[in-house]
Amino acid sequence: MAVPKLQKNSGKKSLFPQLCNFIYLIPSLPNQFIYTKQKKVYSIEDVKSYEQQTKEFLKYSSATEINDAEALRNVLRFHEYRYYVISEPLLTDYDYDMLYKLLQEWEKAHPENIPADSPTQRVGSSLNKDFPKRQHLVPMLSLDNSYNADDLVEWDRRVRESTGLDEIMYCAEPKFDGASISLQYEDDQLVAATTRGDGEVGDDITLNAKQIRSVPLSASFSKYGIAQIEIRGEVMMNKQSFASFNEGLAGEGLATLANPRNAAAGSLRMKDSRQVARRNLEAFLYNVSFERDKTADNKQKPTTHSGMLQMLWQLGFKSPVKEMKVLKGIGEVIKFIGEYEESRDSLAYEIDGMVIKVDSLELQDKLGMTSHHPRWAMAYKYKARQAESVLIGVEYQVGRTGAVTPVAKIKPVQVSGVTVGSISIHNEDYIKEKDLKLGDKIIIERSGDVIPQIVRSVTEDRTGKETEIIFPTTCPVCNDALYKPEGEAVWRCVNINCKAQVVERIIHFVSKDAMDIKGFGEANVRRFYEQEIITDIPSIYHLQEDKLQGLEGFGQKSIENLLVGIEASKTQALHRIIYALGIRYVGETTAKTLAQVITTIFELKDKTIEELQVVDDVGVKVAASLHEFFANEDNIHMLEELQNAGIVMERAASTGTAEGKFTGMTFLFTGTLAQLKRSEAEADVEAHGGKILSGVSSKLTYLIVGADAGSKLEKAKKMTGIKILSEEEFLKMI
Ligand code: IVH
């Protein structure tokens, strides 16, 4: 049971604060971690110093208080780097904007002293080195920000003055809080997708963008007389996908991400584009930044921004036509954005404000741009939903893989209609980074309706009575010593018989994506475990009906349903059994891949770490974890018990036995396929009687090579008798 315990006073210091600092924020993005580590842009001392300076500058109420503007620029550069380059922001957008405005105000008063590299003189920050670079057709600018009705009225006044009009037609739409992207289409075909980068040049992430289903691979722009077009938008992970993505991370014993924006930005930069497809991303396209017409007098295309969004919608893009509204004058705009804010929590995805654009494209041209933002658009930032509370205590929960997660207990407080009483504070380093103490006054924020988080502790209000949070050295449930592997952020209980882990493993085993035993559910598992009706995973299959009888709220019908569910689970597919075992790092996808290369689960017992790594998607970390699991006698004993209880541990007969033109031939796919999904390609082979192999060997007939193929291709080249084909050649064969 995950019985949480209150904080006691004894503990150990982390040996790896800076390493862990980076790991826990981006656990699934090892490339970025390596990049951060190698680049060493800011040392841990720098981070501390900038955080201190940030706090100081945030206290300033006017630019007249500034005596070192370059220090403020460096603070802003530091936060840009955290946000744009490594996707690990340390500041809320609102606070960043406040500092930015402060510098703008100072520079306005001292125009002779603005260096060319001031954060106000450019967009974005230095580049991420990993992907090929690509130039935007038009620089990707930012937006000017407003925070209240007065700001909007003032902007409207400027727009009316510049255009000489009494009243302007505006288009208001959500300000999507994701990762920005630009798409280029030529002759109706998608030719490139690029991240924002420094605004001029971004990372070419075309392959990754193609994995997002809402990005059309082709669209009939020619119908509108358009030959070439560049479209801007935002890639988003919706709240629900984000919640299950985080659940998956937690389930695999990894630290979770703070918000959907980080998840979307990280996903776009993944090296393996196939992984992107699994992340359920969506792309909202909201602006046409460049277009070239087929003929000089093109009359077919829209003349307003809202018309452009309609056109994009017609062409199959997810443009915000349902969300946008065309409004007459700034008064209507102010009313609309106020109303929209009320529905913010019920949206499927995160927005952080609204964007108001002058609707007429002719007027937009007339108004033009500054070096930072267009004059025809204005972002209206909604206030972060923050509240003040007090940190009362810390409880420690033990998960399925033994990970010990500290959970802050706070004085219950309402944030956008929901009462928050506890907040995950991730791990020991997070506590240090946020400088949290028991008794602290804290500011909390709800990022969407998903996860509340602590923004900061109000250190300036400390009374001296606050006490250190000391991470426990022993498991709060079984009392065994906790252990933290080098380079990891999470303390673990390594006693696999720890009751907390056992019950969490049973919950995972019966869950929907695993064995899917209907009628169980988390609450029942906990209850049956406490009453010793079940004691471990195999005991599920020896459950005695009479022990269930008489349980409050668990009638005959419930008992029958549960028993039917248990019986049905005995013939679940092999990959579900592998996933259900809850082996660290083995998620659903890896379980599926593994199930394809074995016929019975016991084969995994005999594979070495090297042999396991031959399997697609299995790296050294996963292989080592599998090896550790299957080397443990207790685990093998459990599998035997399950087999004796009637669970089918074998893969259902493969379709590879079908007769066809590939009968007697073997295939292996490597690298990223452009047109087919790996699973589809493999199904095609099997449907034609061929067999899929898991590695390059003398038994292999064909190696089909996609983009960025690596060691398998090299190995096959050195061997005789293996035919190496491109994806195109394979498609011709089938
Ligand atoms: S228009 C030339 N519309 O917010 C200006 N941007 O904070 C093009 N954003 O850089 C941008 N929702 O990445 C526009 N409906 C929307 C938006 C939006 C989100 C992003 C965009 C922009 C950033 C500025």
Side-chain angles (χ1 to χ4, degrees):
M1 267 158 310
V3 184
K5 259 195 177 173
L6 270 183
Q7 171 75 40
K8 289 225 184 76
N9 253 3
S10 76
K12 215 190 236 175
K13 289 226 160 75
S14 157
L15 292 172
F16 316 98
Q18 58 280 66
L19 276 183
C20 302
N21 171 25
F22 293 124
I23 293 174
Y24 82 82
L25 278 163
I26 39 170
S28 56
L29 309 169
N31 297 324
Q32 287 196 23
F33 163 53
I34 290 163
Y35 170 74
T36 308
K37 224 176 83 182
Q38 283 171 351
K39 197 145 183 240
K40 288 208 174 76
V41 176
Y42 292 102
S43 69
I44 198 82
E45 283 75 22
D46 291 338
V47 174
K48 281 194 187 129
S49 150
Y50 282 121
E51 286 200 278
Q52 193 50 43
Q53 293 181 56
T54 303
K55 280 185 194 164
E56 291 305 319
F57 279 119
L58 281 172
K59 287 183 197 154
Y60 290 10
S61 55
S62 132
T64 51
E65 291 181 63
I66 297 176
N67 50 31
D68 187 355
E70 192 54 25
L72 176 54
R73 286 192 193 101
N74 281 333
V75 167
L76 284 164
R77 287 181 185 120
F78 166 70
H79 287 296
E80 280 183 354
Y81 172 79
R82 300 288 306 197
Y83 186 100
Y84 287 111
V85 183
I86 62 169
S87 305
E88 293 176 20
L90 292 173
L91 204 57
T92 61
D93 287 2
Y94 182 83
D95 282 350
Y96 176 86
D97 289 339
M98 287 300 131
L99 294 181
Y100 191 92
K101 289 217 158 196
L102 198 66
L103 180 61
Q104 268 182 328
E105 195 187 323
W106 189 89
E107 290 184 344
K108 211 168 150 199
H110 305 86
E112 70 291 356
N113 274 340
I114 307 175
D117 66 349
S118 169
T120 59
Q121 304 300 299
R122 71 188 168 115
V123 186
S125 177
S126 57
L127 297 166
N128 238 318
K129 290 269 151 54
D130 307 334
F131 287 87
K133 299 292 166 226
R134 191 167 183 112
Q135 179 126 25
H136 296 293
L137 294 179
V138 168
M140 215 163 172
L141 295 185
S142 199
L143 288 171
D144 199 5
N145 289 319
S146 62
Y147 300 93
N148 51 49
D150 290 349
D151 293 349
L152 287 177
V153 169
E154 170 55 21
W155 172 62
D156 174 60
R157 192 195 56 73
R158 291 200 301 272
V159 171
R160 283 186 294 110
E161 194 177 277
S162 310
T163 55
L165 295 171
D166 290 341
E167 195 162 56
I168 305 286
M169 294 301 290
Y170 290 109
C171 179
E173 68 206 35
K175 184 168 185 319
F176 298 98
D177 195 9
S180 41
I181 190 172
S182 101
L183 304 176
Q184 290 179 31
Y185 287 79
E186 261 176 64
D187 297 328
D188 295 345
Q189 300 297 318
L190 173 67
V191 292
T194 318
T195 62
R196 173 198 209 91
D198 67 356
E200 301 272 344
V201 176
D203 289 342
D204 184 331
I205 48 145
T206 312
L207 266 182
N208 283 356
K210 281 185 175 171
Q211 307 294 326
I212 304 170
R213 293 295 167 105
S214 47
V215 172
L217 299 181
S218 64
S220 309
F221 288 107
S222 49
K223 273 199 210 153
Y224 293 86
I226 295 170
Q228 187 186 13
I229 190 163
E230 184 180 56
I231 314 164
R232 299 282 156 79
E234 207 83 356
V235 170
M236 313 276 288
M237 186 182 278
N238 73 25
K239 293 172 188 171
Q240 204 181 0
S241 303
F242 175 67
S244 49
F245 175 60
N246 255 351
E247 253 170 48
L249 287 178
E252 287 173 41
L254 298 166
T256 49
L257 293 182
N259 56 49
R261 177 176 6 94
N262 286 1
S267 303
L268 280 186
R269 290 199 178 87
M270 277 195 310
K271 286 297 181 51
D272 180 353
S273 55
R274 288 166 303 171
Q275 298 281 350
V276 182
R278 298 177 188 131
R279 296 260 178 122
N280 267 339
L281 301 172
E282 43 197 335
F284 286 89
L285 280 310
Y286 47 62
N287 211 65
V288 172
S289 55
F290 171 88
E291 50 91 12
R292 181 167 53 79
D293 293 341
K294 284 178 165 307
T295 56
D297 62 340
N298 181 8
K299 296 205 169 61
Q300 291 128 289
K301 68 172 192 227
T303 57
T304 58
H305 168 72
S306 53
M308 280 291 187
L309 293 187
Q310 292 286 3
M311 175 187 84
L312 291 176
W313 182 262
Q314 294 299 332
L315 291 172
F317 291 84
K318 200 177 172 93
S319 68
V321 286
K322 293 194 197 111
E323 294 82 357
M324 74 176 185
K325 188 145 186 186
V326 178
L327 302 149
K328 203 172 183 185
I330 205 69
E332 280 192 15
V333 169
I334 291 167
K335 189 162 166 269
F336 177 67
I337 58 184
E339 286 162 7
Y340 208 93
E341 186 168 12
E342 309 207 333
S343 62
R344 182 179 176 192
D345 284 331
S346 59
L347 295 177
Y349 45 81
E350 277 296 308
I351 66 168
D352 58 346
M354 298 295 277
V355 181
I356 303 105
K357 297 172 183 168
V358 171
D359 201 34
S360 153
L361 298 180
E362 198 190 327
L363 285 187
Q364 288 192 359
D365 270 354
K366 219 171 178 177
L367 287 157
M369 324 242 180
T370 72
S371 64
H372 176 261
H373 59 259
R375 290 195 193 86
W376 43 262
M378 178 62 86
Y380 178 89
K381 292 282 200 83
Y382 288 142
K383 279 236 174 323
R385 289 149 300 181
Q386 293 191 339
E388 210 178 79
S389 179
V390 178
L391 176 51
I392 304 168
V394 179
E395 293 180 350
Y396 296 90
Q397 292 180 351
V398 184
R400 164 165 63 84
T401 58
V404 177
T405 308
V407 178
K409 293 285 141 186
I410 65 167
K411 194 172 124 216
V413 64
Q414 286 252 330
V415 201
S416 60
V418 172
T419 307
V420 180
S422 55
I423 300 183
S424 168
I425 42 174
H426 309 290
N427 56 45
E428 192 183 22
D429 298 316
Y430 183 89
I431 295 172
K432 289 208 183 94
E433 192 176 298
K434 292 269 173 192
D435 186 17
L436 301 177
K437 288 191 176 169
L438 295 178
D440 264 346
K441 197 189 267 182
I442 50 169
I443 308 292
I444 68 162
E445 188 173 292
R446 255 179 83 216
S447 80
D449 56 0
V450 198
I451 299 182
Q453 46 181 320
I454 296 182
V455 182
R456 64 187 190 99
S457 53
V458 188
T459 48
E460 57 273 28
D461 285 0
R462 279 191 180 149
T463 60
K465 290 200 183 122
E466 297 76 14
T467 54
E468 294 287 332
I469 297 168
I470 297 162
F471 215 88
T473 51
T474 57
C475 172
V477 177
C478 74
N479 258 330
D480 261 28
L482 296 183
Y483 170 72
K484 181 160 82 161
E486 200 172 319
E488 290 197 11
V490 176
W491 284 98
R492 282 174 199 283
C493 167
V494 287
N495 168 16
I496 62 163
N497 296 318
C498 169
K499 286 190 168 179
Q501 291 180 53
V502 175
V503 78
E504 295 296 333
R505 281 202 294 269
I506 302 175
I507 290 169
H508 174 74
F509 187 85
V510 304
S511 68
K512 194 162 173 294
D513 294 331
M515 297 301 268
D516 192 20
I517 306 187
K518 307 227 165 37
F520 240 128
E522 179 171 343
N524 281 333
V525 172
R526 288 193 193 283
R527 189 166 155 205
F528 297 169
Y529 186 77
E530 267 162 34
Q531 305 197 5
E532 293 177 14
I533 295 171
I534 52 174
T535 50
D536 55 14
I537 289 172
S539 70
I540 295 170
Y541 294 93
H542 305 295
L543 203 112
Q544 296 186 345
E545 204 177 327
D546 55 340
K547 289 214 173 147
L548 293 170
Q549 269 149 3
L551 275 182
E552 207 189 307
F554 209 74
Q556 196 55 34
K557 191 77 203 140
S558 306
I559 296 176
E560 271 164 32
N561 286 345
L562 180 60
L563 294 177
V564 168
I566 292 173
E567 197 54 36
S569 75
K570 290 182 179 172
T571 49
Q572 279 293 21
L574 182 57
H575 67 83
R576 280 183 175 265
I577 304 177
I578 299 174
Y579 175 65
L581 295 175
I583 305 166
R584 202 169 158 211
Y585 305 127
V586 179
E588 276 181 274
T589 313
T590 309
K592 279 186 188 156
T593 323
L594 284 168
Q596 275 171 15
V597 298
I598 53 171
T599 40
T600 131
I601 204 160
F602 294 99
E603 278 172 43
L604 291 173
K605 177 170 75 113
D606 304 320
K607 289 197 190 287
T608 62
I609 295 188
E610 289 72 28
E611 283 166 345
L612 286 164
Q613 275 180 260
V614 173
V615 180
D616 254 348
D617 298 333
V618 175
V620 65
K621 214 167 67 173
V622 181
S625 173
L626 278 162
H627 193 260
E628 190 186 324
F629 182 91
F630 284 95
N632 185 321
E633 282 296 318
D634 289 346
N635 289 334
I636 301 301
H637 181 68
M638 172 180 73
L639 289 172
E640 283 164 354
E641 269 192 76
L642 287 174
Q643 192 175 41
N644 293 339
I647 291 165
V648 182
M649 298 283 196
E650 270 138 44
R651 179 154 56 106
S654 148
T655 47
T657 50
E659 283 294 309
K661 59 183 164 190
F662 293 162
T663 302
M665 299 176 188
T666 60
F667 290 75
L668 174 64
F669 294 86
T670 185
T672 310
L673 303 181
Q675 303 183 46
L676 288 170
K677 279 212 281 188
R678 173 82 56 109
S679 54
E680 286 166 2
E682 290 178 349
D684 279 337
V685 166
E686 292 186 341
H688 288 101
K691 250 185 101 178
I692 302 293
L693 292 192
S694 62
V696 175
S697 73
S698 57
K699 293 195 196 117
L700 185 62
T701 327
Y702 289 108
L703 180 73
I704 318 296
V705 183
D708 301 324
S711 59
K712 285 185 187 143
L713 175 59
E714 291 313 310
K715 189 170 172 194
K717 275 185 189 161
K718 288 189 197 125
M719 294 173 67
T720 48
I722 300 178
K723 296 183 198 91
I724 299 173
L725 301 183
S726 68
E727 186 181 356
E728 247 83 70
E729 287 168 316
F730 170 72
L731 282 168
K732 275 189 202 137
M733 277 173 80
I734 58 168

